[in-house]
Amino acid sequence: MKTRYILSILIISLLAACSMDYDPLDTYSDVTEGVSEDSVQVVFEDKADVLAHRQTLLNLYKNSQEHWYLDMLLLAESHSDNAYAGSPGAETTPFEVNSIEGSNTNLRRDWNSHMGNIAQANRLISFIDDVNDPALTDAEKLQYKAEAKILRAMIYFDMVRIWGNVPLVTTVAGDITSETIDDVYPAYFPPQTDALTIYQQIEADLLEGLQYAPDNDAQDKTQFSKSVARALLAKVYAEKPLRDYDKVIQYADELAADGYELVDDYSDLFGVILTDPNSPPSQENKAIDAKARNTKETIYEAQYFPGNTNWATWMYGRPLNDWTFYFTWAKWITPSRDLIKAFQSEVGDKRYAETVVFYSCGWNIYYPADNYAFMYKCRSAYNSTIKMRYADILLLKAEALIGKGDYSGAAQIINQTRQRAGLNNLPASASASEEAITEAYLKERRLELAMEGQRWFDLVRLEKVEEVMNAVYAKDEGRPAQVYPFTSLSYILPVPQGIIDQNPNLVQNPGY
């Protein structure tokens, strides 16, 4: 075996604690599988190893509810006008009062976890072609690599929208030896890459995914399918670095051709099956399963079943499968009065009751304890967590039409989600000008996608952060006082300071 520098041990120990840019267990070392006598690293010995790692990738969103779901809602909902932090504390309050700093522990957790997940995707991408097993066909290699690239694109899309310039890591760093130190050492401490280049990598990964990933499976929306790639491409092309409204429309239309459409009943997306109301009192109206999974509207979701449930539900309110479970402390992501007023301004909007619920509780931080508002879209341990659904992409098509000057076409799309919600079509005045249709559009996305991790990114994408967020504190009497005004520098968040301390090649984002 080649002699390794003591420095490599130091680096691996450091990264094991911070998961800065990869999962140490997924890199070369003497404790990983497949090390041959001549030091040639065999990461996957056979097809079984590949399939096991592929399943790990398929389970990442399901098994990583903190950074994929909980923290994303904190960032996108509580850092917008949709929600309060819910449970005040050093990790949550800064999001609702705009005082986020690089010391925030949630941001560090999210950075570490996202980079660790990228490393897991890179492991399959980098080493699947080295597998010498006749049972693993070339077509399978192309498919599994494409799936991993869709996953990597999904992660980087979240990261670039949160932090802007982030390290672009597309390979797996090898051992530091006397022969490799000059080449390998920088890989452990990568600098940031500009956001445009990150978006271009995302685009390239997704376009390859379109070639080799499997087609949409209407019975299993947990897969990295061609449809997931199309949905992500539509979202990528809506963002300014690669903005191309024709491509947003193209991929939205291709999703419709894949069979996606709005479900007839909005409650199918978030509802639960309850026990018979005539059951014994202890079992009355208890959730026993999700109302639906794999709907024609869901593009990508994590699914949970009896015996394998999600835990995020008890972070938001009462879990309907266990009414009193962990309901003794203030919950996260509390719907704001401003959001509630927006729902109430559209009389009869069916989405309101699916988004916000009121209970009595033991605290009165934002509302009276006897009538307290809670986030309701994840209401039981059996609820799926939906990463992408067709309504989001359909409305992005409306945004693209607005960008192309087709205000009436945008209004027709907005009316589709309004009609499902039980509302009348927009008045003609709503499509009379760009300002009017943009206002109607933003409100529609707000009500349709509330508590799904979209609002902050909508405000950023359409450059509405200053206008909306600097005004909400004065009109929402439940929101704590604003610490800092929102500016153009607020559009991206601080790089975790602990990560900068460990990687001398990183720099802090302006304004922090």
Side-chain angles (χ1 to χ4, degrees):
M1 301 297 286
K2 297 178 181 179
T3 302
R4 288 165 174 76
Y5 278 75
I6 295 176
L7 179 59
S8 68
I9 300 174
L10 171 63
I11 291 172
I12 290 174
S13 298
L14 181 151
L15 294 179
C18 72
S19 301
M20 181 180 63
D21 65 343
Y22 74 109
D23 179 353
L25 294 180
D26 278 350
T27 66
Y28 307 139
S29 79
D30 288 336
V31 298
T32 55
E33 64 178 325
V35 180
S36 63
E37 292 182 359
D38 59 358
S39 294
V40 175
Q41 308 297 330
V42 181
V43 176
F44 302 118
E45 291 186 331
D46 51 26
K47 181 176 181 178
D49 287 345
V50 171
L51 291 178
H53 192 69
R54 174 179 180 256
Q55 191 61 49
T56 295
L57 300 185
L58 291 172
N59 288 339
L60 281 181
Y61 180 52
K62 176 178 181 177
N63 293 337
S64 304
Q65 296 172 64
E66 280 186 332
H67 68 282
W68 278 99
Y69 187 50
L70 176 64
D71 286 355
M72 183 60 79
L73 294 194
L74 179 68
L75 189 160
E77 305 296 336
S78 297
H79 195 45
S80 77
D81 50 350
N82 272 1
Y84 311 127
S87 181
E91 59 185 349
T92 56
T93 296
F95 287 87
E96 69 178 343
V97 300
N98 196 36
S99 63
I100 306 170
E101 300 291 349
S103 58
N104 187 273
T105 56
N106 286 63
L107 288 182
R108 179 169 178 169
R109 170 172 74 191
D110 298 341
W111 178 288
N112 287 340
S113 298
H114 281 311
M115 292 304 289
N117 289 164
I118 287 170
Q120 290 172 298
N122 285 342
R123 185 183 189 214
L124 189 144
I125 294 166
S126 297
F127 298 121
I128 189 171
D129 289 335
D130 297 335
V131 178
N132 185 20
D133 183 346
L136 183 65
T137 68
D138 290 342
E140 288 174 325
K141 289 180 179 180
L142 289 170
Q143 175 187 327
Y144 301 155
K145 186 186 295 186
E147 292 170 343
K149 288 191 173 184
I150 292 172
L151 169 63
R152 184 170 69 186
M154 185 184 297
I155 300 167
Y156 265 124
F157 183 60
D158 281 348
M159 290 194 73
V160 74
R161 291 190 300 164
I162 296 171
W163 289 290
N165 300 346
V166 295
L168 179 59
V169 182
T170 59
T171 60
V172 177
D175 284 328
I176 296 180
T177 71
S178 56
E179 291 85 359
T180 66
I181 186 168
D182 289 340
D183 294 328
V184 174
Y185 181 83
Y188 286 99
F189 297 102
Q192 286 139 303
T193 301
D194 65 279
L196 174 59
T197 302
I198 298 292
Y199 272 100
Q200 290 170 336
Q201 180 65 53
I202 293 169
E203 178 187 34
D205 280 348
L206 293 174
L207 291 175
E208 182 170 333
L210 276 182
Q211 295 183 63
Y212 302 113
D215 293 332
N216 170 51
D217 182 351
Q219 304 304 314
D220 187 358
K221 301 298 182 68
T222 68
Q223 304 297 305
F224 298 118
S225 66
K226 286 183 171 68
S227 295
V228 173
R230 290 187 176 105
L232 280 168
L233 282 166
K235 293 177 75 68
V236 165
Y237 289 127
E239 298 286 338
K240 184 174 291 185
L242 294 182
R243 183 165 289 167
D244 187 327
Y245 287 137
D246 288 332
K247 289 182 178 178
V248 174
I249 294 169
Q250 171 194 334
Y251 287 111
D253 289 346
E254 288 184 10
L255 282 170
D258 284 347
Y260 289 93
E261 57 184 312
L262 302 178
V263 296
D264 297 329
D265 185 348
Y266 190 80
S267 70
D268 286 350
L269 298 167
F270 310 104
V272 294
I273 299 173
L274 299 174
T275 55
D276 191 310
N278 297 319
S279 300
S282 62
Q283 297 296 315
E284 186 177 354
N285 292 329
K286 180 180 179 180
I288 56 175
D289 206 349
K291 183 178 181 182
R293 299 183 183 90
N294 303 311
T295 71
K296 59 185 179 182
E297 184 168 339
T298 299
I299 300 169
Y300 183 70
E301 66 181 64
Q303 299 173 355
Y304 305 90
F305 303 88
N308 186 12
T309 57
N310 80 61
W311 58 260
T313 180
W314 45 260
M315 294 296 295
Y316 307 123
R318 288 189 182 277
L320 297 190
N321 54 290
D322 190 344
W323 183 259
T324 61
F325 184 73
Y326 279 3
F327 199 65
T328 57
W329 41 268
K331 301 303 178 178
W332 287 32
I333 328 295
T334 299
S336 70
R337 286 171 174 81
D338 195 67
L339 174 65
I340 291 170
K341 289 176 182 176
F343 271 117
Q344 292 175 339
S345 70
E346 298 285 358
V347 179
D349 194 328
K350 297 176 182 178
R351 297 171 295 197
Y352 180 29
E354 297 299 319
T355 307
V356 182
V357 68
F358 292 85
Y359 297 127
S360 296
C361 64
W363 54 94
N364 58 358
I365 302 168
Y366 299 98
Y367 295 94
D370 62 351
N371 194 38
Y372 208 92
F374 295 90
M375 189 279 243
Y376 200 47
K377 281 188 171 175
C378 185
R379 64 194 68 165
S380 83
Y382 312 127
N383 277 94
S384 296
T385 55
I386 301 173
K387 182 69 174 173
M388 291 186 292
R389 60 184 178 96
Y390 180 64
D392 174 17
I393 310 304
L394 181 63
L395 288 172
L396 283 180
K397 180 180 177 180
E399 183 176 315
L401 291 174
I402 294 171
K404 292 171 65 67
D406 184 357
Y407 306 152
S408 61
Q412 291 174 18
I413 290 176
I414 294 169
N415 286 337
Q416 292 182 48
T417 52
R418 286 179 61 85
Q419 289 166 7
R420 178 176 64 173
L423 302 177
N424 295 327
N425 289 344
L426 292 172
S429 59
S431 55
S433 67
E434 181 177 3
E435 181 180 4
I437 191 63
T438 299
E439 181 180 354
Y441 168 74
L442 263 174
K443 182 177 182 182
E444 185 61 18
R445 276 189 67 87
R446 185 182 190 189
L447 301 183
E448 175 69 27
L449 301 168
M451 304 301 166
E452 296 181 48
Q454 302 292 337
R455 178 63 171 173
W456 170 257
F457 300 112
D458 288 349
L459 297 177
V460 169
R461 186 176 64 256
L462 295 176
E463 299 181 337
K464 295 289 185 179
V465 169
E466 297 98 319
E467 174 187 332
V468 171
M469 293 308 300
N470 287 329
V472 73
Y473 293 85
K475 65 177 183 174
D476 187 335
E477 64 270 23
R479 187 174 292 273
Q482 183 178 14
V483 174
Y484 298 115
F486 288 85
T487 70
S488 60
L489 297 179
S490 306
Y491 285 33
I492 56 175
L493 300 188
V495 177
Q497 187 59 47
I499 304 302
I500 294 176
D501 293 341
Q502 294 167 348
N503 182 352
N505 293 316
L506 297 180
V507 296
Q508 186 56 271
N509 284 327
Y512 298 100

Short mmCIF file of all heavy atoms in Angstrom, two decimals, residues 448-490:
data_model
loop_
_atom_site.label_atom_id
_atom_site.label_comp_id
_atom_site.label_asym_id
_atom_site.label_seq_id
_atom_site.Cartn_x
_atom_site.Cartn_y
_atom_site.Cartn_z
N GLU A 448 -51.82 28.80 -3.73
CA GLU A 448 -51.75 27.42 -4.23
C GLU A 448 -50.64 26.63 -3.56
O GLU A 448 -50.80 25.44 -3.25
CB GLU A 448 -51.55 27.43 -5.74
CG GLU A 448 -51.34 26.06 -6.38
CD GLU A 448 -52.57 25.18 -6.35
OE1 GLU A 448 -53.70 25.71 -6.33
OE2 GLU A 448 -52.41 23.92 -6.36
N LEU A 449 -49.49 27.27 -3.34
CA LEU A 449 -48.29 26.56 -2.91
C LEU A 449 -47.86 26.92 -1.49
O LEU A 449 -46.73 26.60 -1.09
CB LEU A 449 -47.15 26.84 -3.88
CG LEU A 449 -47.41 26.45 -5.34
CD1 LEU A 449 -46.34 27.04 -6.26
CD2 LEU A 449 -47.50 24.94 -5.50
N ALA A 450 -48.72 27.57 -0.73
CA ALA A 450 -48.36 27.97 0.63
C ALA A 450 -47.92 26.76 1.45
O ALA A 450 -48.51 25.69 1.37
CB ALA A 450 -49.55 28.65 1.31
N MET A 451 -46.89 26.94 2.24
CA MET A 451 -46.32 25.92 3.12
C MET A 451 -45.70 24.75 2.36
O MET A 451 -45.59 23.64 2.87
CB MET A 451 -47.38 25.39 4.11
CG MET A 451 -48.04 26.46 4.93
SD MET A 451 -46.84 27.38 5.91
CE MET A 451 -47.82 28.78 6.42
N GLU A 452 -45.25 25.02 1.13
CA GLU A 452 -44.58 23.99 0.34
C GLU A 452 -43.17 24.40 -0.05
O GLU A 452 -42.54 23.77 -0.90
CB GLU A 452 -45.41 23.65 -0.90
CG GLU A 452 -46.76 23.04 -0.57
CD GLU A 452 -47.56 22.68 -1.80
OE1 GLU A 452 -47.01 22.03 -2.71
OE2 GLU A 452 -48.75 23.05 -1.87
N GLY A 453 -42.64 25.46 0.57
CA GLY A 453 -41.26 25.83 0.33
C GLY A 453 -41.01 26.58 -0.94
O GLY A 453 -39.91 26.47 -1.52
N GLN A 454 -41.98 27.40 -1.39
CA GLN A 454 -41.85 28.12 -2.65
C GLN A 454 -41.82 29.64 -2.50
O GLN A 454 -41.22 30.33 -3.33
CB GLN A 454 -43.02 27.75 -3.59
CG GLN A 454 -43.14 26.29 -3.91
CD GLN A 454 -42.01 25.77 -4.76
OE1 GLN A 454 -41.34 26.51 -5.47
NE2 GLN A 454 -41.76 24.46 -4.70
N ARG A 455 -42.44 30.19 -1.47
CA ARG A 455 -42.73 31.62 -1.44
C ARG A 455 -41.48 32.49 -1.50
O ARG A 455 -41.42 33.44 -2.28
CB ARG A 455 -43.56 31.95 -0.19
CG ARG A 455 -43.89 33.42 0.00
CD ARG A 455 -44.76 33.97 -1.12
NE ARG A 455 -45.23 35.32 -0.79
CZ ARG A 455 -45.88 36.12 -1.62
NH1 ARG A 455 -46.17 35.70 -2.85
NH2 ARG A 455 -46.28 37.32 -1.24
N TRP A 456 -40.47 32.22 -0.67
CA TRP A 456 -39.27 33.05 -0.67
C TRP A 456 -38.62 33.06 -2.05
O TRP A 456 -38.22 34.10 -2.57
CB TRP A 456 -38.27 32.56 0.38
CG TRP A 456 -36.93 33.20 0.27
CD1 TRP A 456 -35.79 32.65 -0.25
CD2 TRP A 456 -36.56 34.53 0.66
NE1 TRP A 456 -34.74 33.54 -0.20
CE2 TRP A 456 -35.20 34.72 0.36
CE3 TRP A 456 -37.27 35.58 1.25
CZ2 TRP A 456 -34.51 35.90 0.62
CZ3 TRP A 456 -36.59 36.77 1.51
CH2 TRP A 456 -35.24 36.92 1.19
N PHE A 457 -38.53 31.91 -2.67
CA PHE A 457 -37.87 31.82 -3.97
C PHE A 457 -38.68 32.52 -5.05
O PHE A 457 -38.10 33.04 -6.01
CB PHE A 457 -37.61 30.36 -4.31
CG PHE A 457 -36.72 29.67 -3.31
CD1 PHE A 457 -37.22 28.67 -2.49
CD2 PHE A 457 -35.39 30.04 -3.17
CE1 PHE A 457 -36.40 28.05 -1.55
CE2 PHE A 457 -34.56 29.43 -2.24
CZ PHE A 457 -35.07 28.42 -1.43
N ASP A 458 -40.01 32.54 -4.92
CA ASP A 458 -40.83 33.31 -5.85
C ASP A 458 -40.52 34.80 -5.73
O ASP A 458 -40.38 35.51 -6.74
CB ASP A 458 -42.32 33.08 -5.57
CG ASP A 458 -42.80 31.70 -5.99
OD1 ASP A 458 -42.05 30.99 -6.69
OD2 ASP A 458 -43.93 31.34 -5.62
N LEU A 459 -40.44 35.29 -4.50
CA LEU A 459 -40.15 36.70 -4.28
C LEU A 459 -38.77 37.07 -4.82
O LEU A 459 -38.59 38.14 -5.41
CB LEU A 459 -40.26 37.05 -2.80
CG LEU A 459 -41.64 36.88 -2.15
CD1 LEU A 459 -41.57 37.20 -0.66
CD2 LEU A 459 -42.69 37.77 -2.84
N VAL A 460 -37.79 36.18 -4.61
CA VAL A 460 -36.45 36.45 -5.10
C VAL A 460 -36.43 36.44 -6.63
O VAL A 460 -35.87 37.34 -7.27
CB VAL A 460 -35.46 35.41 -4.54
CG1 VAL A 460 -34.10 35.51 -5.26
CG2 VAL A 460 -35.28 35.60 -3.04
N ARG A 461 -37.02 35.42 -7.22
CA ARG A 461 -36.97 35.27 -8.68
C ARG A 461 -37.58 36.47 -9.40
O ARG A 461 -37.09 36.92 -10.44
CB ARG A 461 -37.69 33.98 -9.08
CG ARG A 461 -37.58 33.64 -10.55
CD ARG A 461 -38.24 32.30 -10.88
NE ARG A 461 -39.68 32.32 -10.64
CZ ARG A 461 -40.28 31.75 -9.61
NH1 ARG A 461 -39.57 31.12 -8.70
NH2 ARG A 461 -41.59 31.81 -9.47
N LEU A 462 -38.66 36.99 -8.84
CA LEU A 462 -39.35 38.12 -9.46
C LEU A 462 -38.96 39.46 -8.85
O LEU A 462 -39.60 40.47 -9.11
CB LEU A 462 -40.87 37.91 -9.37
CG LEU A 462 -41.37 36.68 -10.16
CD1 LEU A 462 -42.85 36.47 -9.95
CD2 LEU A 462 -41.06 36.83 -11.64
N GLU A 463 -37.91 39.45 -8.04
CA GLU A 463 -37.34 40.66 -7.45
C GLU A 463 -38.40 41.46 -6.69
O GLU A 463 -38.51 42.68 -6.82
CB GLU A 463 -36.67 41.51 -8.53
CG GLU A 463 -35.52 40.79 -9.21
CD GLU A 463 -34.82 41.63 -10.26
OE1 GLU A 463 -35.44 42.58 -10.79
OE2 GLU A 463 -33.65 41.33 -10.58
N LYS A 464 -39.14 40.76 -5.85
CA LYS A 464 -40.20 41.37 -5.05
C LYS A 464 -39.87 41.35 -3.55
O LYS A 464 -40.71 41.71 -2.73
CB LYS A 464 -41.52 40.63 -5.28
CG LYS A 464 -42.08 40.73 -6.69
CD LYS A 464 -42.60 42.12 -6.98
CE LYS A 464 -43.26 42.19 -8.34
NZ LYS A 464 -43.80 43.55 -8.61
N VAL A 465 -38.67 40.94 -3.19
CA VAL A 465 -38.33 40.78 -1.78
C VAL A 465 -38.46 42.11 -1.04
O VAL A 465 -39.14 42.19 0.00
CB VAL A 465 -36.91 40.21 -1.62
CG1 VAL A 465 -36.46 40.29 -0.16
CG2 VAL A 465 -36.86 38.76 -2.09
N GLU A 466 -37.81 43.15 -1.53
CA GLU A 466 -37.83 44.43 -0.82
C GLU A 466 -39.25 44.98 -0.72
O GLU A 466 -39.69 45.43 0.35
CB GLU A 466 -36.93 45.45 -1.53
CG GLU A 466 -35.46 45.06 -1.55
CD GLU A 466 -35.05 44.42 -2.86
OE1 GLU A 466 -35.85 43.59 -3.39
OE2 GLU A 466 -33.96 44.73 -3.35
N GLU A 467 -39.98 44.93 -1.83
CA GLU A 467 -41.33 45.48 -1.86
C GLU A 467 -42.26 44.77 -0.89
O GLU A 467 -43.01 45.41 -0.14
CB GLU A 467 -41.88 45.36 -3.28
CG GLU A 467 -43.34 45.75 -3.45
CD GLU A 467 -43.86 45.45 -4.83
OE1 GLU A 467 -43.06 45.44 -5.80
OE2 GLU A 467 -45.08 45.21 -4.96
N VAL A 468 -42.20 43.45 -0.87
CA VAL A 468 -43.13 42.68 -0.04
C VAL A 468 -42.67 42.60 1.40
O VAL A 468 -43.43 42.86 2.34
CB VAL A 468 -43.31 41.25 -0.63
CG1 VAL A 468 -44.09 40.37 0.33
CG2 VAL A 468 -44.01 41.33 -1.98
N MET A 469 -41.41 42.25 1.61
CA MET A 469 -40.97 41.93 2.96
C MET A 469 -40.73 43.16 3.82
O MET A 469 -40.93 43.12 5.03
CB MET A 469 -39.71 41.07 2.90
CG MET A 469 -39.95 39.67 2.32
SD MET A 469 -41.31 38.79 3.13
CE MET A 469 -40.73 38.73 4.81
N ASN A 470 -40.31 44.26 3.24
CA ASN A 470 -40.12 45.46 4.06
C ASN A 470 -41.44 46.11 4.44
O ASN A 470 -41.46 46.99 5.31
CB ASN A 470 -39.23 46.47 3.32
CG ASN A 470 -37.77 46.05 3.29
OD1 ASN A 470 -37.29 45.38 4.20
ND2 ASN A 470 -37.07 46.42 2.24
N ALA A 471 -42.54 45.67 3.83
CA ALA A 471 -43.85 46.22 4.15
C ALA A 471 -44.64 45.34 5.11
O ALA A 471 -45.56 45.81 5.79
CB ALA A 471 -44.66 46.44 2.87
N VAL A 472 -44.30 44.04 5.19
CA VAL A 472 -45.17 43.11 5.91
C VAL A 472 -45.13 43.33 7.42
O VAL A 472 -46.13 43.08 8.12
CB VAL A 472 -44.82 41.65 5.56
CG1 VAL A 472 -43.50 41.23 6.21
CG2 VAL A 472 -45.94 40.71 5.98
N TYR A 473 -44.02 43.79 7.96
CA TYR A 473 -43.91 43.93 9.42
C TYR A 473 -44.91 44.95 9.96
O TYR A 473 -45.42 44.81 11.07
CB TYR A 473 -42.48 44.30 9.81
CG TYR A 473 -41.49 43.21 9.52
CD1 TYR A 473 -40.91 43.09 8.26
CD2 TYR A 473 -41.15 42.27 10.49
CE1 TYR A 473 -40.00 42.07 7.98
CE2 TYR A 473 -40.24 41.26 10.23
CZ TYR A 473 -39.68 41.16 8.96
OH TYR A 473 -38.79 40.15 8.69
N ALA A 474 -45.19 45.99 9.20
CA ALA A 474 -46.11 47.03 9.66
C ALA A 474 -47.56 46.61 9.58
O ALA A 474 -48.40 47.11 10.33
CB ALA A 474 -45.89 48.31 8.85
N LYS A 475 -47.87 45.67 8.70
CA LYS A 475 -49.28 45.28 8.52
C LYS A 475 -49.62 43.93 9.14
O LYS A 475 -50.79 43.53 9.13
CB LYS A 475 -49.64 45.28 7.03
CG LYS A 475 -48.91 44.25 6.20
CD LYS A 475 -49.41 44.29 4.75
CE LYS A 475 -48.76 43.23 3.89
NZ LYS A 475 -49.32 43.17 2.53
N ASP A 476 -48.63 43.22 9.65
CA ASP A 476 -48.86 41.93 10.30
C ASP A 476 -48.53 42.09 11.78
O ASP A 476 -47.37 42.04 12.18
CB ASP A 476 -48.00 40.85 9.66
CG ASP A 476 -48.33 39.45 10.18
OD1 ASP A 476 -48.83 39.34 11.32
OD2 ASP A 476 -48.08 38.47 9.45
N GLU A 477 -49.57 42.27 12.58
CA GLU A 477 -49.36 42.58 14.00
C GLU A 477 -48.78 41.42 14.80
O GLU A 477 -48.34 41.60 15.93
CB GLU A 477 -50.68 43.04 14.64
CG GLU A 477 -51.78 41.99 14.68
CD GLU A 477 -52.67 42.01 13.44
OE1 GLU A 477 -52.21 42.49 12.38
OE2 GLU A 477 -53.83 41.53 13.52
N GLY A 478 -48.75 40.23 14.22
CA GLY A 478 -48.21 39.09 14.95
C GLY A 478 -46.74 38.86 14.72
O GLY A 478 -46.13 38.02 15.39
N ARG A 479 -46.15 39.60 13.79
CA ARG A 479 -44.75 39.35 13.44
C ARG A 479 -43.83 40.18 14.32
O ARG A 479 -44.04 41.37 14.50
CB ARG A 479 -44.52 39.71 11.97
CG ARG A 479 -43.15 39.34 11.43
CD ARG A 479 -43.07 39.59 9.94
NE ARG A 479 -43.93 38.66 9.22
CZ ARG A 479 -43.56 37.45 8.82
NH1 ARG A 479 -42.33 37.03 9.05
NH2 ARG A 479 -44.40 36.65 8.19
N PRO A 480 -42.78 39.56 14.88
CA PRO A 480 -41.81 40.33 15.68
C PRO A 480 -41.16 41.43 14.85
O PRO A 480 -41.20 41.40 13.62
CB PRO A 480 -40.79 39.27 16.10
CG PRO A 480 -41.50 37.97 15.98
CD PRO A 480 -42.47 38.13 14.85
N ALA A 481 -40.56 42.38 15.52
CA ALA A 481 -39.98 43.54 14.84
C ALA A 481 -38.86 43.12 13.90
O ALA A 481 -38.05 42.23 14.21
CB ALA A 481 -39.46 44.53 15.87
N GLN A 482 -38.80 43.78 12.76
CA GLN A 482 -37.76 43.56 11.78
C GLN A 482 -36.42 44.06 12.32
O GLN A 482 -36.34 45.16 12.86
CB GLN A 482 -38.12 44.29 10.49
CG GLN A 482 -37.17 44.09 9.35
CD GLN A 482 -37.65 44.81 8.09
OE1 GLN A 482 -38.54 45.66 8.15
NE2 GLN A 482 -37.07 44.47 6.95
N VAL A 483 -35.36 43.26 12.17
CA VAL A 483 -34.03 43.67 12.64
C VAL A 483 -33.28 44.45 11.56
O VAL A 483 -32.79 45.55 11.80
CB VAL A 483 -33.23 42.45 13.10
CG1 VAL A 483 -31.80 42.85 13.45
CG2 VAL A 483 -33.91 41.79 14.31
N TYR A 484 -33.21 43.88 10.36
CA TYR A 484 -32.52 44.55 9.26
C TYR A 484 -33.47 44.65 8.07
O TYR A 484 -34.26 43.73 7.81
CB TYR A 484 -31.28 43.77 8.83
CG TYR A 484 -30.23 43.63 9.89
CD1 TYR A 484 -29.89 42.39 10.42
CD2 TYR A 484 -29.55 44.76 10.37
CE1 TYR A 484 -28.91 42.26 11.39
CE2 TYR A 484 -28.58 44.65 11.35
CZ TYR A 484 -28.27 43.39 11.86
OH TYR A 484 -27.31 43.27 12.83
N PRO A 485 -33.41 45.73 7.31
CA PRO A 485 -34.23 45.83 6.11
C PRO A 485 -33.74 44.84 5.05
O PRO A 485 -32.55 44.49 5.01
CB PRO A 485 -34.03 47.27 5.65
CG PRO A 485 -32.70 47.66 6.21
CD PRO A 485 -32.59 46.94 7.52
N PHE A 486 -34.64 44.41 4.20
CA PHE A 486 -34.28 43.54 3.08
C PHE A 486 -33.73 44.41 1.95
O PHE A 486 -34.30 45.45 1.61
CB PHE A 486 -35.49 42.76 2.59
CG PHE A 486 -35.94 41.67 3.52
CD1 PHE A 486 -36.79 41.95 4.58
CD2 PHE A 486 -35.52 40.36 3.34
CE1 PHE A 486 -37.23 40.94 5.44
CE2 PHE A 486 -35.94 39.35 4.20
CZ PHE A 486 -36.79 39.65 5.25
N THR A 487 -32.62 43.96 1.37
CA THR A 487 -32.00 44.64 0.24
C THR A 487 -31.67 43.61 -0.83
O THR A 487 -31.94 42.40 -0.65
CB THR A 487 -30.71 45.37 0.65
OG1 THR A 487 -29.70 44.39 0.95
CG2 THR A 487 -30.94 46.25 1.89
N SER A 488 -31.04 44.04 -1.90
CA SER A 488 -30.64 43.10 -2.94
C SER A 488 -29.63 42.09 -2.42
O SER A 488 -29.50 40.98 -2.97
CB SER A 488 -30.05 43.86 -4.13
OG SER A 488 -28.92 44.62 -3.73
N LEU A 489 -28.91 42.43 -1.35
CA LEU A 489 -27.96 41.48 -0.76
C LEU A 489 -28.65 40.39 0.05
O LEU A 489 -28.02 39.40 0.43
CB LEU A 489 -26.96 42.23 0.12
CG LEU A 489 -26.05 43.25 -0.58
CD1 LEU A 489 -25.12 43.92 0.42
CD2 LEU A 489 -25.25 42.60 -1.70
N SER A 490 -29.95 40.58 0.32
CA SER A 490 -30.70 39.59 1.10
C SER A 490 -31.12 38.39 0.27
O SER A 490 -31.62 37.41 0.82
CB SER A 490 -31.95 40.24 1.70
OG SER A 490 -31.64 41.39 2.45
#
